[in-house]
Amino acid sequence: MNGNNTWRDRLYVIIFQTDTVAGRRFDKTLLLIILASLVIVILDSIDEVHQNYANVLAYIEWGFTIIFLGEYLLRLYCSPKPLRYAFSFYGLVDLLAIVPGILALYYSDAQYLLIIRVIRMLRIFRVLKLGPYLKQAHYLLDALRGSKQKILVFLLSVCTLVTVFGTLMYVVEGPEHGFTSIPKGIYWAIVTLTTVGYGDIVPRTVLGQVISSLVMITGYSIIAVPTGIFTAELATAMRGGQQQHDCPVCKKSSHEQEASFCSRCGNALFRKME
Amino acid sequence: MNGNNTWRDRLYVIIFQTDTVAGRRFDKTLLLIILASLVIVILDSIDEVHQNYANVLAYIEWGFTIIFLGEYLLRLYCSPKPLRYAFSFYGLVDLLAIVPGILALYYSDAQYLLIIRVIRMLRIFRVLKLGPYLKQAHYLLDALRGSKQKILVFLLSVCTLVTVFGTLMYVVEGPEHGFTSIPKGIYWAIVTLTTVGYGDIVPRTVLGQVISSLVMITGYSIIAVPTGIFTAELATAMRGGQQQHDCPVCKKSSHEQEASFCSRCGNALFRKME
Amino acid sequence: MNGNNTWRDRLYVIIFQTDTVAGRRFDKTLLLIILASLVIVILDSIDEVHQNYANVLAYIEWGFTIIFLGEYLLRLYCSPKPLRYAFSFYGLVDLLAIVPGILALYYSDAQYLLIIRVIRMLRIFRVLKLGPYLKQAHYLLDALRGSKQKILVFLLSVCTLVTVFGTLMYVVEGPEHGFTSIPKGIYWAIVTLTTVGYGDIVPRTVLGQVISSLVMITGYSIIAVPTGIFTAELATAMRGGQQQHDCPVCKKSSHEQEASFCSRCGNALFRKME
Amino acid sequence: MNGNNTWRDRLYVIIFQTDTVAGRRFDKTLLLIILASLVIVILDSIDEVHQNYANVLAYIEWGFTIIFLGEYLLRLYCSPKPLRYAFSFYGLVDLLAIVPGILALYYSDAQYLLIIRVIRMLRIFRVLKLGPYLKQAHYLLDALRGSKQKILVFLLSVCTLVTVFGTLMYVVEGPEHGFTSIPKGIYWAIVTLTTVGYGDIVPRTVLGQVISSLVMITGYSIIAVPTGIFTAELATAMRGGQQQHDCPVCKKSSHEQEASFCSRCGNALFRKME
């Protein structure tokens, strides 16, 4: 079965890898098919299109589901460790791209679950060769990780603010002005604090407008906080990629990656064992 | 009464401290109860829920009030200095969490004051061990303190801008387009400058729309000012200030972060080991 | 007339200076009167208040105008160089605070010009002792001056964008959807690009909604440009307050204000003439 | 024909260059004419103006088209390499400024294409002498180039987010609340995520309002990402990179900005003058 093996190996290289011409071509084609299947789902949701082409679109969707099913089985077949693939992140996403198509036979609403195929678009990182970039740009993640706790404190403060302001407005404005309950008040506070401002619920009383003004100015100002935190962390992370090691003489704490001597005092950074 | 004392001491450790298993469990349970009591207040404000479960919810709210009352008395009992606790920040907040529940017996609107229990959620910092983090991240506060006066100038400018633009729009648009008074105009100016844009009051005349465009572009641009101030202060606070190290020759004590030589006498700041 | 002179000198110190107790008290009182006169103008614009208290408010406004007139004459009298004061910035503002009150006798609308008294509130910088702070914080102005040309380019780009998009939407949506002319389209483009989004004019056609989406994402993204420019300039300006002078040996270009020797190479920054 | 040649040369200097008085005057006049022609197009779109002055405006537009045609022919005539000018960026823009005026004879809608004359306003950079500035400020472009891939990742994430949230809202809210199709849902998601918030389509169900709140807080927070990226890149570009200076001992050629000693061999980078 050596010939069979080689066949599987070649399939594996084409389907799972991107460094051969055939592999890249396969991934590009796959991306286009995924995009096309998304477009079909989106088109099908438009009433006029649905009324005229419901059957055609249903057939096309079935076609895509069969293609993805075939691709999934092929991947299972040619993968050296099928189970490991099946339970990997990409394996589960590939499965999720098929299931709704089959469910849609029984529940017509299930077809909208097909939109999760959008997650498959993550493969675009591989095709656009953004993968190596993403790995190199670990400092974007460093920045996010470094500011995680600050962001948490920020989100907790925002939650507290909208709860308090939402309740206040419910008491001040009352149901006759659209603030029918505290959750509605909280919804209004979020709409206002984030400066979205739909205008579906607006304050009508003078006191309510004074409180709103406060909420708006707060929302307008505190946007500076996450922006500032993220920017400062990012700047630090970018300056980083540096060696963290205290110089034994002057205590300078970060050095060039390849440094042997401290660039401030000229002393050896590491003691030489004799 | 030594046994009694030990009993009180153990209660004190459980209720006031978080470094034992029992203490942490107590704080977590308390947080959950506070959250539950907030959910009840919020649910009770929804009309449908209120009509069907008003009595049940009232009993539950009473239950929470009694629990918090009990907890407050226990804290007073086991605290070594009860008065100091009673007048501390947390002590007053704990009291405020009970009072509205009792007031609600006489004034039905008072129940919404229960929402101030949200302040008790501040204990979450202790449970999530964010406390030490907050202390360490003193530079976030440094940044805010450093930019306090700049923020004040910024807020004064915003107030002046909205007053002038609000009056202008009141004169230009007049009551027939919703600008019924100068305060209304100021409210509109705040809604527009902060880019919230409800759309409940909009300019109808050509001149009014020209002025609005000006206000919008101003609002869109000056958001850069608080963001820039906060970010720059934060970056400065994070980079830390100056090097504190006595020059071995002239004793100048603070130097640029990266200085190798004293900028006053020109001598090397650090001895080179040979 | 030496006594008269002393009297004038003492008045001058009280009215024009803030470093004596009496001077500060005078400025504080003046600020309160200005604030009160603004509140009266604002109150008078509210319909209910105007109908009931029109006469009272008119008398009070007259009172304020007389007070400010008296103050203006006093300033002219005790100033050592009256003409120089009369044509200084503050002198003109003080005059502008009186004129509309007199004009209001003949034209009732002129009273809203009284709002320019808000400019007199600039004196608050002197009272809150923000003045020295403002002088010290010259780097905020440095940052603005440094980014002036970049901001100009940014504003020109925004103007071009809104003109093009406004015309496009006028052609695509047409008068039946509220885009009655190109200026209206430009107004819509400004409302959308600045993320204000009143909702008084919204796209109804599919193509219009696609173009709007583009405008929104553009507006959402390019806010980063002025923020980034201002922040980077501010950070540079804050790091500044430094001596700009190339070290003759290592070319390091900025040094501590008091530096005699370069902190990088230890050489004298300035050649000693012998 | 030497005289003719000199005449052409002088014309060339006036029309194509800006460093003579006549050249600058020509460019300024041209800019004013372009602005005036834009104003005419904009005015003509206003219904009242069009009904009363349609003929006058048509004549004026014709006048501008003839002026621009003459200018174009003159440029072709006096340019030393007419073809190179005709296919240069400015040459094509100059041609595009004439074509719609002629097309408008046959298709009345074509006149709005005249708005592309706004591109001719780019010449303003030459007149305001912003050109050299733009060249000098290469670091603004450096910052944009440096953050290109990050911005791409950011835009892809935003697209994915609005697709998923748009579909979700279409399923949750349904056509009866304005979410008539998935594209409509995506349009709503863009309006909400960018914090524009027209309010033409708003969530009515409780679940829809919860999802919206999520979208709003996401949109409010992730604005920090492009701002942070751009600011950090700009700060890096402005601070400049590394010191370019050969170490006198080991010839290592680039060092940390503030290095005094070579981090590879520990020798002083700069000789100390004694």
Side-chain angles (χ1 to χ4, degrees):
Chain A
M1 310 277 254
N2 203 9
N4 187 11
N5 246 350
T6 322
W7 180 230
R8 260 177 72 184
D9 285 356
R10 280 179 55 197
L11 251 179
Y12 175 76
V13 168
I14 292 175
I15 295 182
F16 278 94
Q17 293 178 352
T18 54
D19 39 18
T20 61
V21 174
R24 283 183 63 78
R25 203 175 288 152
F26 175 82
D27 267 8
K28 276 182 189 165
T29 317
L30 186 59
L31 270 180
L32 286 180
I33 296 176
I34 296 169
L35 251 184
S37 79
L38 289 175
V39 168
I40 292 297
V41 175
I42 289 174
L43 280 179
D44 196 27
S45 77
I46 303 171
D47 213 39
E48 298 165 44
V49 177
H50 185 75
Q51 277 168 359
N52 295 319
Y53 306 99
N55 283 331
V56 184
L57 291 175
Y59 287 133
I60 298 176
E61 270 170 34
W62 259 102
F64 284 127
T65 304
I66 288 165
I67 290 173
F68 290 142
L69 184 64
E71 183 221 337
Y72 185 66
L73 294 177
L74 265 184
R75 278 182 193 268
L76 277 182
Y77 166 70
C78 71
S79 169
K81 295 171 181 171
L83 273 177
R84 204 175 142 193
Y85 161 71
F87 288 100
S88 72
F89 173 70
Y90 277 117
L92 291 170
V93 167
D94 291 351
L95 186 62
L96 277 171
I98 309 163
V99 173
I102 295 162
L103 281 178
L105 278 183
Y106 307 99
Y107 314 99
S108 65
D109 260 12
Q111 63 162 311
Y112 296 120
L113 294 174
L114 288 169
I115 210 74
I116 51 175
R117 279 178 187 164
V118 86
I119 308 176
R120 292 202 76 188
M121 295 299 286
L122 280 177
R123 279 171 203 282
I124 210 167
F125 284 109
R126 290 221 315 238
V127 171
L128 293 184
K129 293 214 167 155
L130 288 171
Y133 154 74
L134 276 184
K135 258 177 217 152
Q136 179 220 351
H138 53 84
Y139 51 74
L140 202 71
L141 289 168
D142 280 5
L144 278 174
R145 207 171 303 129
S147 48
K148 203 179 59 182
Q149 281 188 304
K150 298 200 205 76
I151 295 287
L152 190 70
V153 172
F154 175 73
L155 285 181
L156 281 177
S157 318
V158 166
C159 287
T160 310
L161 273 178
V162 296
T163 309
V164 171
F165 277 119
T167 309
L168 213 62
M169 286 300 278
Y170 168 65
V171 174
V172 167
E173 291 276 333
E176 64 270 32
H177 296 135
F179 293 79
T180 51
S181 63
I182 292 182
K184 203 94 174 190
I186 293 174
Y187 165 72
W188 169 88
I190 293 173
V191 169
T192 304
L193 195 84
T194 58
T195 76
V196 170
Y198 281 138
D200 52 345
I201 313 173
V202 292
R204 299 279 174 215
T205 65
V206 172
L207 186 55
Q209 291 176 346
V210 170
I211 296 172
S212 317
S213 301
L214 222 79
V215 178
M216 286 174 219
I217 290 176
T218 307
Y220 186 64
S221 307
I222 61 174
I223 184 71
V225 175
T227 308
I229 290 169
F230 184 73
T231 307
E233 289 283 347
L234 193 61
T236 305
M238 278 170 77
R239 214 179 312 123
Q242 290 209 304
Q243 219 189 102
Q244 300 302 324
H245 175 85
D246 275 8
C247 166
V249 177
C250 74
K251 309 298 173 209
K252 182 173 188 291
S253 62
S254 79
H255 305 273
E256 279 181 84
Q257 206 60 50
E258 302 289 327
S260 303
F261 295 87
C262 174
S263 70
R264 184 157 74 197
C265 66
N267 285 292
L269 286 173
F270 307 98
R271 190 167 302 178
K272 199 159 165 193
M273 306 295 188
E274 317 252 349
Chain B
M1 311 277 252
N2 204 10
N4 188 9
N5 245 350
T6 323
W7 180 230
R8 257 177 74 185
D9 285 355
R10 279 180 56 197
L11 250 180
Y12 175 76
V13 168
I14 292 175
I15 294 183
F16 278 94
Q17 292 178 353
T18 53
D19 39 16
T20 62
V21 174
R24 283 183 63 78
R25 203 175 287 153
F26 175 81
D27 266 9
K28 276 184 191 165
T29 316
L30 186 61
L31 269 181
L32 285 179
I33 296 176
I34 297 169
L35 250 184
S37 80
L38 288 175
V39 169
I40 292 297
V41 175
I42 290 175
L43 279 179
D44 196 27
S45 77
I46 304 172
D47 213 39
E48 298 165 44
V49 176
H50 185 76
Q51 277 170 358
N52 294 318
Y53 306 100
N55 283 331
V56 184
L57 291 174
Y59 286 133
I60 297 176
E61 270 171 33
W62 258 103
F64 284 126
T65 304
I66 288 166
I67 290 173
F68 291 141
L69 184 63
E71 183 220 339
Y72 185 66
L73 294 177
L74 264 184
R75 278 181 192 269
L76 278 182
Y77 167 69
C78 72
S79 170
K81 295 171 180 170
L83 272 178
R84 204 176 143 194
Y85 161 70
F87 289 99
S88 72
F89 173 72
Y90 278 118
L92 290 170
V93 167
D94 291 350
L95 186 61
L96 278 171
I98 310 162
V99 173
I102 295 161
L103 282 178
L105 277 183
Y106 307 98
Y107 314 98
S108 65
D109 260 11
Q111 62 162 311
Y112 297 119
L113 294 174
L114 287 170
I115 209 74
I116 52 176
R117 280 177 187 166
V118 86
I119 309 176
R120 292 202 76 187
M121 294 300 287
L122 280 177
R123 279 170 202 283
I124 210 167
F125 283 108
R126 291 222 313 240
V127 170
L128 292 185
K129 293 215 167 154
L130 288 171
Y133 154 74
L134 277 184
K135 258 176 218 153
Q136 178 219 352
H138 53 85
Y139 51 75
L140 202 70
L141 289 168
D142 279 6
L144 278 174
R145 206 171 304 128
S147 48
K148 200 179 60 181
Q149 281 188 304
K150 298 199 205 77
I151 295 288
L152 191 71
V153 172
F154 175 73
L155 284 180
L156 281 177
S157 317
V158 167
C159 286
T160 310
L161 272 179
V162 296
T163 309
V164 170
F165 278 118
T167 310
L168 213 61
M169 287 299 277
Y170 168 66
V171 174
V172 167
E173 291 276 332
E176 64 269 32
H177 297 135
F179 294 80
T180 51
S181 63
I182 292 183
K184 203 94 175 192
I186 293 174
Y187 165 71
W188 169 88
I190 293 173
V191 169
T192 303
L193 195 84
T194 58
T195 77
V196 170
Y198 281 139
D200 52 346
I201 313 174
V202 291
R204 299 278 174 214
T205 65
V206 172
L207 186 55
Q209 291 176 346
V210 170
I211 296 171
S212 316
S213 301
L214 222 79
V215 179
M216 287 173 217
I217 289 176
T218 308
Y220 185 63
S221 308
I222 62 174
I223 184 71
V225 175
T227 308
I229 290 168
F230 184 73
T231 307
E233 289 283 348
L234 194 60
T236 305
M238 279 170 78
R239 209 182 317 122
Q242 292 210 298
Q243 218 188 107
Q244 300 302 325
H245 175 86
D246 276 8
C247 167
V249 177
C250 74
K251 308 299 173 206
K252 181 173 188 291
S253 62
S254 80
H255 305 271
E256 280 181 79
Q257 198 61 43
E258 299 285 333
S260 301
F261 296 89
C262 175
S263 69
R264 186 158 70 196
C265 67
N267 285 292
L269 287 172
F270 306 98
R271 189 167 304 176
K272 193 151 172 201
M273 310 293 190
E274 316 255 348
Chain C
M1 309 277 250
N2 204 10
N4 188 10
N5 246 351
T6 323
W7 180 229
R8 257 177 75 185
D9 286 355
R10 279 181 55 198
L11 249 179
Y12 176 76
V13 168
I14 292 175
I15 294 183
F16 278 94
Q17 293 178 353
T18 53
D19 40 15
T20 62
V21 175
R24 284 183 61 77
R25 203 175 289 152
F26 175 81
D27 267 8
K28 276 184 190 164
T29 317
L30 186 60
L31 270 181
L32 285 180
I33 296 176
I34 297 169
L35 250 184
S37 81
L38 289 175
V39 169
I40 292 297
V41 176
I42 289 174
L43 279 179
D44 195 26
S45 77
I46 303 172
D47 213 40
E48 297 165 43
V49 176
H50 185 75
Q51 276 168 2
N52 294 320
Y53 306 99
N55 284 332
V56 184
L57 291 174
Y59 286 133
I60 297 176
E61 270 170 34
W62 259 103
F64 283 126
T65 304
I66 288 166
I67 290 173
F68 291 140
L69 184 63
E71 182 220 340
Y72 185 67
L73 294 176
L74 264 184
R75 279 181 192 268
L76 278 182
Y77 166 71
C78 72
S79 170
K81 295 171 180 169
L83 272 177
R84 204 176 142 193
Y85 160 71
F87 289 100
S88 73
F89 173 72
Y90 278 118
L92 290 170
V93 167
D94 291 351
L95 186 61
L96 278 171
I98 309 162
V99 173
I102 295 162
L103 281 178
L105 277 183
Y106 307 98
Y107 315 98
S108 65
D109 261 11
Q111 64 162 308
Y112 297 120
L113 293 174
L114 287 169
I115 210 73
I116 51 175
R117 279 177 187 166
V118 85
I119 308 175
R120 293 202 75 189
M121 294 299 287
L122 281 176
R123 280 169 202 283
I124 209 168
F125 285 107
R126 291 222 313 240
V127 171
L128 293 185
K129 293 214 169 156
L130 288 171
Y133 154 73
L134 276 184
K135 258 177 217 151
Q136 178 218 352
H138 53 84
Y139 51 74
L140 202 70
L141 289 169
D142 280 5
L144 278 174
R145 208 171 303 129
S147 48
K148 202 179 59 181
Q149 281 189 303
K150 297 200 205 75
I151 295 288
L152 190 70
V153 172
F154 176 73
L155 285 180
L156 280 177
S157 317
V158 166
C159 287
T160 310
L161 273 177
V162 296
T163 310
V164 171
F165 278 119
T167 311
L168 213 61
M169 286 299 277
Y170 168 64
V171 175
V172 167
E173 292 275 332
E176 64 270 31
H177 297 135
F179 293 80
T180 51
S181 63
I182 292 183
K184 204 93 176 192
I186 293 174
Y187 165 71
W188 168 88
I190 293 173
V191 169
T192 303
L193 195 84
T194 58
T195 76
V196 170
Y198 281 138
D200 53 345
I201 314 174
V202 290
R204 299 280 173 213
T205 65
V206 172
L207 187 54
Q209 291 176 346
V210 171
I211 296 171
S212 316
S213 301
L214 223 78
V215 179
M216 287 173 217
I217 290 177
T218 306
Y220 186 63
S221 307
I222 61 175
I223 185 71
V225 175
T227 309
I229 290 168
F230 183 74
T231 308
E233 289 283 348
L234 193 60
T236 305
M238 278 170 79
R239 215 178 311 124
Q242 291 210 302
Q243 217 189 105
Q244 299 303 322
H245 175 84
D246 277 7
C247 166
V249 175
C250 75
K251 309 298 174 206
K252 183 173 187 288
S253 62
S254 79
H255 304 273
E256 280 180 82
Q257 205 61 50
E258 303 288 328
S260 302
F261 295 87
C262 174
S263 70
R264 184 156 75 195
C265 66
N267 286 292
L269 285 172
F270 307 97
R271 192 168 300 177
K272 201 161 165 190
M273 308 293 190
E274 316 254 346
Chain D
M1 309 278 255
N2 203 11
N4 187 9
N5 244 350
T6 323
W7 180 230
R8 258 176 73 184
D9 285 356
R10 279 181 55 198
L11 249 180
Y12 175 78
V13 168
I14 292 175
I15 294 183
F16 279 94
Q17 292 179 353
T18 53
D19 40 15
T20 61
V21 174
R24 283 183 62 79
R25 202 174 290 152
F26 175 82
D27 267 8
K28 275 183 191 165
T29 316
L30 186 60
L31 270 181
L32 285 180
I33 296 176
I34 297 170
L35 250 184
S37 80
L38 288 176
V39 169
I40 292 297
V41 175
I42 289 174
L43 280 179
D44 195 27
S45 77
I46 302 171
D47 213 40
E48 297 165 44
V49 176
H50 186 75
Q51 277 168 0
N52 294 319
Y53 306 99
N55 283 331
V56 184
L57 290 174
Y59 286 133
I60 298 176
E61 270 171 32
W62 259 103
F64 283 128
T65 303
I66 289 164
I67 291 173
F68 290 142
L69 184 64
E71 182 220 339
Y72 185 66
L73 293 177
L74 264 184
R75 279 182 191 267
L76 277 181
Y77 165 71
C78 72
S79 169
K81 294 171 182 171
L83 272 177
R84 204 176 143 192
Y85 160 70
F87 289 101
S88 72
F89 173 71
Y90 278 118
L92 290 170
V93 167
D94 291 351
L95 186 62
L96 278 171
I98 309 163
V99 174
I102 296 162
L103 281 179
L105 277 183
Y106 307 98
Y107 314 98
S108 64
D109 260 12
Q111 63 162 310
Y112 297 121
L113 294 175
L114 288 168
I115 209 74
I116 52 175
R117 280 178 187 164
V118 85
I119 309 176
R120 293 202 75 188
M121 295 299 286
L122 281 177
R123 279 170 204 282
I124 210 167
F125 283 108
R126 290 218 318 237
V127 171
L128 293 185
K129 293 214 169 156
L130 287 172
Y133 154 73
L134 276 184
K135 259 177 216 152
Q136 178 219 352
H138 53 85
Y139 51 73
L140 202 71
L141 289 168
D142 280 5
L144 278 174
R145 207 170 303 129
S147 48
K148 202 179 59 181
Q149 281 188 304
K150 298 200 205 74
I151 296 287
L152 190 70
V153 172
F154 176 71
L155 286 180
L156 281 177
S157 317
V158 166
C159 286
T160 309
L161 272 177
V162 296
T163 309
V164 171
F165 277 120
T167 310
L168 213 62
M169 287 299 278
Y170 169 65
V171 175
V172 167
E173 291 275 332
E176 64 269 30
H177 297 134
F179 293 80
T180 51
S181 63
I182 293 183
K184 204 94 176 192
I186 293 174
Y187 165 72
W188 169 88
I190 293 173
V191 169
T192 304
L193 195 84
T194 57
T195 76
V196 170
Y198 281 138
D200 52 345
I201 313 173
V202 291
R204 298 281 173 212
T205 65
V206 172
L207 186 55
Q209 291 176 346
V210 170
I211 297 171
S212 316
S213 301
L214 222 78
V215 178
M216 287 173 219
I217 290 177
T218 306
Y220 185 63
S221 307
I222 61 174
I223 185 71
V225 175
T227 309
I229 291 169
F230 184 74
T231 308
E233 289 283 347
L234 194 61
T236 305
M238 279 170 78
R239 209 182 315 120
Q242 292 211 299
Q243 215 190 110
Q244 299 303 324
H245 175 84
D246 277 7
C247 168
V249 176
C250 75
K251 307 300 174 204
K252 183 174 186 288
S253 62
S254 80
H255 305 272
E256 280 180 79
Q257 198 62 43
E258 300 284 333
S260 300
F261 295 89
C262 175
S263 69
R264 187 157 70 194
C265 66
N267 286 291
L269 287 171
F270 306 97
R271 190 168 301 176
K272 194 154 173 196
M273 311 293 190
E274 315 257 346

